[in-house]
């Protein structure tokens, strides 16, 4: 299930230092997402080439003169060349820093130094594709001979390069000075602590009941509430009821909502006084 | 204490209420920019963008310190990341970038890899010399250097008339498909030079092979013609486009060596930094290489068949060489970068 709230800390998180002095977190895209994006782009590229071929065949009738036919053939060669070599380059130079494939899986290219993604970054990372994809495939399809097998083994090093570094960089990213990061859209959800405020007054928790949990538990609870999975909510509600000794009412959602609001208010108050209670193992403020 | 609680809670609620309009406004602008381009915005909106970005960034900084609503912090964070790349990442107009590249950028990057260029050129000419000497000493070498497909009927056993026909009799045969021929040559050469560059990543060794191989083939072909006393005539025929094309291949090889060297021997820089710096400058060189090959393709496709005089062939070839050399290496008062 895709949860609305991503995991708290990830080994793929990288800090981006803005000139304004606020660090932003970006997350390195997974190898799987990269392959998915690449496949989609390949389908698009070869799909377009097929369309161009069909157009070419359709237009290249006998009615055309020699000159027109030559123009058409030359144009055809150029279009295929541009599609094959510049598809990635042209799209990644746009404002979104992503090809249609990358956009579809929600990833984009950025400059590793956090600066502007220049044409030279994009060109470098994409020209290297020739040794990473074309070369291994050409060895693969010249099946059989020992020479081809050795070549395949050698070029697989380039192809699988992203698996051997923690930033999932291809050879092209290394040379281009780029990262591929997740670029998910986030929706602005409502504030859970403002849910059904008129009912929250029925839940009067004692300070001891509220002081059980820390930030980690609170945000896990937020994930459960936003996930909206009835079974999970029931389970968590039972667990917390047991822990704090609260046995009134049987509306799990209302109870969790109210408890979340109470704990969050308490922890946020602590933060204003300079105390962050990271988890239940920290002492309360 | 209760009063403080109420104040704090009110503060939290007000924080969101007061700033939400800004967040939504920025989100709407970003959506439009990403769908089309920055040009989709009016002047007022474009001026508003950095202001909104900073406002949301400041909201994020406050939310991180005062709020535990993860969904809210994530939302603000992602909005800021998206805006950051628009505010700091969008280039000036493409045409300005292209003009700067043609005016100074390209030549600058080519000059920056002059050592690699010398090595690459040396490899090509040594290859050519070896190819020449090998085939002169034993013509059977020709067949192991040049594949049948590449030879196109030219071999040590061809007659003088046949060989001469290829370099002087092209017009009647291929006149009709000049454009197609030129385009094919361009795309083919561009593909080879891109591969030549990309292989530089394997520490430059395969790049060196490719450059030497090109030289060998050229040398072997010249040797075949030289045996029939047509050596200088062939050189003239090759020269029309050859000075441009070989220069481009030498530069592609040099760019490949640059990334191989920087990755293997980063020097005082961090390896990643060195690789990225080398990649950026050699990518600029490679954009230039593709442009040069476009010229070479036109020269080869058109010039070869239409220009029959040896003198004109040499003149064109040497002029092109002179143009490239002065374009790249003549100083033009921009020694201080930026």
């Amino acid at each position: 299930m895709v949860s609305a709230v991503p995991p708290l800390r990830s080994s793929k998180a990288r800090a981006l230092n803005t000139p304004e002095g606020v660090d932003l977190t970006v997350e390195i895209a997974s190898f799987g997402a990269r392959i998915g994006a690449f496949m989609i782009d390949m389908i698009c590229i070869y799909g377009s080439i097929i369309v161009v071929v069909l157009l070419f065949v359709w237009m290249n009738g006998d009615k055309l003169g020699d000159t027109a036919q030559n123009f058409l053939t030359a144009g055809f060669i150029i279009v295929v060349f541009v599609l094959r070599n510049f598809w990635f380059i042209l799209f990644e130079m746009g404002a979104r820093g992503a090809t249609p494939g990358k956009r579809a899986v929600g990833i984009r290219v950025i400059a590793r130094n956090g600066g502007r993604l220049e044409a030279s970054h994009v060109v470098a990372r994409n020209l290297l594709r020739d040794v990473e994809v074309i070369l291994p495939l050409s060895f693969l399809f010249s099946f059989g001979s020992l020479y081809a097998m050795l070549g395949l083994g050698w070029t697989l090093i380039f192809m699988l390069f992203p698996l051997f570094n923690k930033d999932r960089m291809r050879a092209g990213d290394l040379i281009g000075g780029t990262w591929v990061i997740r670029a998910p859209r986030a929706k602005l959800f409502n504030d859970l602590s403002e849910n059904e405020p008129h009912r929250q007054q029925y839940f009067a928790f004692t300070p001891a009941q509220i002081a059980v949990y820390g930030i980690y538990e609170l945000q896990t609870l937020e994930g459960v509430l936003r996930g909206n999975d009835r079974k999970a909510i029931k389970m968590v509600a039972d667990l917390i009821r047991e822990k704090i000794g609260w046995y009134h009412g049987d509306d799990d959602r209302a109870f969790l909502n109210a408890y979340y609001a109470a704990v969050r208010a308490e922890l946020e108050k602590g933060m204003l006084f300079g105390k962050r209670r990271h988890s239940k193992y920290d002492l309360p403020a | 204490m209760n009063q403080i609680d109420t104040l704090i809670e009110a503060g939290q609620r007000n924080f969101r209420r007061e700033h939400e309009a800004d967040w939504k406004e920025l989100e709407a602008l970003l959506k439009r920019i990403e769908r089309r381009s920055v040009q989709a915005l009016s002047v007022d909106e474009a001026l508003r963008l950095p202001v909104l970005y900073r406002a949301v960034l400041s909201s994020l900084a406050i939310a991180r310190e005062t709020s535990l609503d993860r969904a809210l912090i994530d939302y603000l964070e992602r909005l800021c990341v998206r805006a950051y790349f628009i505010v700091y990442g969008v280039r000036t107009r493409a045409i300005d970038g292209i003009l700067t590249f043609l005016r100074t950028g390209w030549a600058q990057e080519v000059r920056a890899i002059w050592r690699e260029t010398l090595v690459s050129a040396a490899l090509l000419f040594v290859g050519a010399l070896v190819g020449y000497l090998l085939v002169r000493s034993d013509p059977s070498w020709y067949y192991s250097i040049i594949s049948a497909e590449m030879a196109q009927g030219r071999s040590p056993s061809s007659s003088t008339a046949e060989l001469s026909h290829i370099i002087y009799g092209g017009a009647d045969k291929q006149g009709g498909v000049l454009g197609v021929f030129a385009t094919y040559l361009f795309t083919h050469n561009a593909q080879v030079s891109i591969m030549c560059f990309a292989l530089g990543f394997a520490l430059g060794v395969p790049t060196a092979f490719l450059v030497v191989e090109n030289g060998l083939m050229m040398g072997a072909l010249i040797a075949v013609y030289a045996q029939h006393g047509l050596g200088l005539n062939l050189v003239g025929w090759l020269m029309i486009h050859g000075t441009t094309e070989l220069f481009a291949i030498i530069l592609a090889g040099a760019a490949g060596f640059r990334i191989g060297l920087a990755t293997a021997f980063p020097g005082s820089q961090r390896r990643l930094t060195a690789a990225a710096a080398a990649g950026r400058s050699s990518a600029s060189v490679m954009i230039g290489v593709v442009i040069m090959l476009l010229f070479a393709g036109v020269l080869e496709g058109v010039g070869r068949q239409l220009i029959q005089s040896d003198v004109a062939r040499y003149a064109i070839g040497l002029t092109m060489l002179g143009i490239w050399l002065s374009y790249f290496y003549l100083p033009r008062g921009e020694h201080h970068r930026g």
Side-chain angles (χ1 to χ4, degrees), chain A residues 28-48:
Chain A
I28 300 289
S30 72
F31 192 50
R34 303 274 299 270
I35 292 193
F38 179 71
M39 294 290 184
I40 296 174
D41 282 323
M42 277 299 153
I43 292 170
C44 291
I45 292 173
Y46 284 95
S48 325

Side-chain angles (χ1 to χ4, degrees), chain A residues 116-190:
Chain A
R116 179 183 296 190
L117 183 68
E118 305 272 5
S120 53
H121 286 127
V122 172
V123 170
R125 80 183 294 279
N126 285 305
L127 289 188
L128 264 271
R129 236 180 255 283
D130 261 30
V131 290
E132 292 169 281
V133 182
I134 312 285
L135 206 56
L137 287 184
S138 66
F139 278 121
L140 184 66
F141 288 118
S142 56
F143 316 88
S145 75
L146 179 66
Y147 166 72
M149 296 310 288
L150 285 176
L152 183 61
W154 173 58
T155 48
L156 272 182
I157 298 174
F158 304 124
M159 203 177 208
L160 301 180
F161 195 86
L163 290 177
F164 300 116
N165 66 86
K166 59 187 189 320
D167 289 353
R168 294 284 168 266
M169 285 188 285
R170 310 192 270 112
D173 288 314
L174 183 84
I175 295 298
T178 51
W179 266 336
V180 179
I181 58 159
R182 284 186 57 198
R185 294 292 174 81
K187 220 179 102 193
L188 181 55
F189 291 96
N190 62 342

Side-chain angles (χ1 to χ4, degrees), chain A:
Chain A
M1 192 190 76
V2 181
S3 110
V5 182
L8 286 175
R9 267 186 191 61
S10 141
S11 63
K12 295 278 160 244
R14 302 285 180 275
L16 193 72
N17 308 318
T18 65
E20 287 80 13
V22 180
D23 279 4
L24 295 175
T25 315
V26 294
E27 201 186 330
I28 300 289
S30 72
F31 192 50
R34 303 274 299 270
I35 292 193
F38 179 71
M39 294 290 184
I40 296 174
D41 282 323
M42 277 299 153
I43 292 170
C44 291
I45 292 173
Y46 284 95
S48 325
I49 289 182
I50 290 173
V51 169
V52 172
V53 170
L54 291 178
L55 265 179
F56 174 72
V57 172
W58 177 67
M59 286 167 72
N60 197 19
D62 294 333
K63 280 166 285 178
L64 288 176
D66 269 0
T67 325
Q69 269 189 5
N70 287 334
F71 260 108
L72 205 58
T73 315
F76 169 73
I77 297 175
I78 288 286
V79 169
V80 172
F81 174 77
V82 168
L83 277 174
R84 170 154 149 30
N85 289 287
F86 293 99
W87 174 275
F88 290 93
I89 292 177
L90 292 177
F91 277 113
E92 286 174 5
M93 276 165 59
R96 271 173 295 201
T99 57
K102 287 197 176 64
R103 222 176 301 147
V105 300
I107 60 181
R108 66 163 291 156
V109 183
I110 65 168
R112 214 153 54 215
N113 59 14
R116 179 183 296 190
L117 183 68
E118 305 272 5
S120 53
H121 286 127
V122 172
V123 170
R125 80 183 294 279
N126 285 305
L127 289 188
L128 264 271
R129 236 180 255 283
D130 261 30
V131 290
E132 292 169 281
V133 182
I134 312 285
L135 206 56
L137 287 184
S138 66
F139 278 121
L140 184 66
F141 288 118
S142 56
F143 316 88
S145 75
L146 179 66
Y147 166 72
M149 296 310 288
L150 285 176
L152 183 61
W154 173 58
T155 48
L156 272 182
I157 298 174
F158 304 124
M159 203 177 208
L160 301 180
F161 195 86
L163 290 177
F164 300 116
N165 66 86
K166 59 187 189 320
D167 289 353
R168 294 284 168 266
M169 285 188 285
R170 310 192 270 112
D173 288 314
L174 183 84
I175 295 298
T178 51
W179 266 336
V180 179
I181 58 159
R182 284 186 57 198
R185 294 292 174 81
K187 220 179 102 193
L188 181 55
F189 291 96
N190 62 342
D191 191 330
L192 286 174
S193 62
E194 287 180 31
N195 272 0
E196 312 173 53
H198 58 286
R199 293 184 56 187
Q200 289 186 9
Q201 54 190 307
Y202 298 117
F203 295 90
F205 300 107
T206 64
Q209 284 172 325
I210 291 171
V212 173
Y213 293 120
I215 293 173
Y216 175 79
E217 292 77 21
L218 177 78
Q219 295 188 333
T220 311
L221 177 58
E222 180 187 344
V224 171
L225 281 168
R226 291 198 196 279
N228 223 351
D229 174 0
R230 192 193 290 233
K231 258 166 70 185
I233 287 178
K234 167 113 181 61
M235 203 181 79
V236 173
D238 287 348
L239 215 77
I240 293 177
R241 279 201 176 98
E242 187 70 27
K243 179 124 181 166
I244 65 172
W246 181 274
Y247 302 107
H248 322 288
D250 55 1
D251 185 344
D252 293 330
R253 214 191 146 88
F255 161 69
L256 282 186
N257 236 323
Y259 188 67
Y260 168 83
V263 174
R264 193 174 129 196
E266 180 64 24
L267 289 173
E268 282 178 349
K269 194 172 75 186
M271 278 164 67
L272 287 185
F273 289 107
K275 169 76 184 157
R276 249 175 203 273
R277 192 184 178 200
H278 293 289
S279 76
K280 60 183 176 187
Y281 303 111
D282 278 4
L283 288 177

Side-chain angles (χ1 to χ4, degrees), chain B residues 248-269:
Chain B
I249 288 174
I250 287 170
L251 286 178
F257 291 142
R258 178 102 187 84
I259 58 173
L261 282 175
T263 318
F265 311 108
S268 58
Q269 286 177 301

Side-chain angles (χ1 to χ4, degrees), chain B residues 51-118:
Chain B
V51 178
L52 284 172
Y53 158 69
R54 278 173 198 123
V56 178
L57 202 61
S58 123
S59 289
L60 172 66
I62 294 170
R64 276 178 181 163
E65 291 312 311
T66 61
S67 172
L68 289 174
D69 187 346
R70 259 187 64 79
L72 176 71
I73 296 173
D74 278 344
Y75 167 78
L76 290 175
E77 177 125 37
R78 283 167 187 182
L79 203 56
C80 286
V81 169
R82 274 166 73 192
Y84 172 81
F85 288 119
I86 303 280
V87 171
Y88 288 106
V90 169
R91 271 167 298 273
T92 43
R93 287 180 310 151
I95 183 73
D96 292 338
I98 294 169
L99 285 180
T100 318
F101 175 74
L102 291 179
R103 217 175 281 138
T104 56
W106 182 8
Q108 233 165 34
E109 300 302 356
V110 168
R111 276 205 300 278
I113 58 165
W114 66 275
R115 280 192 205 88
E116 289 86 349
T117 311
L118 283 182

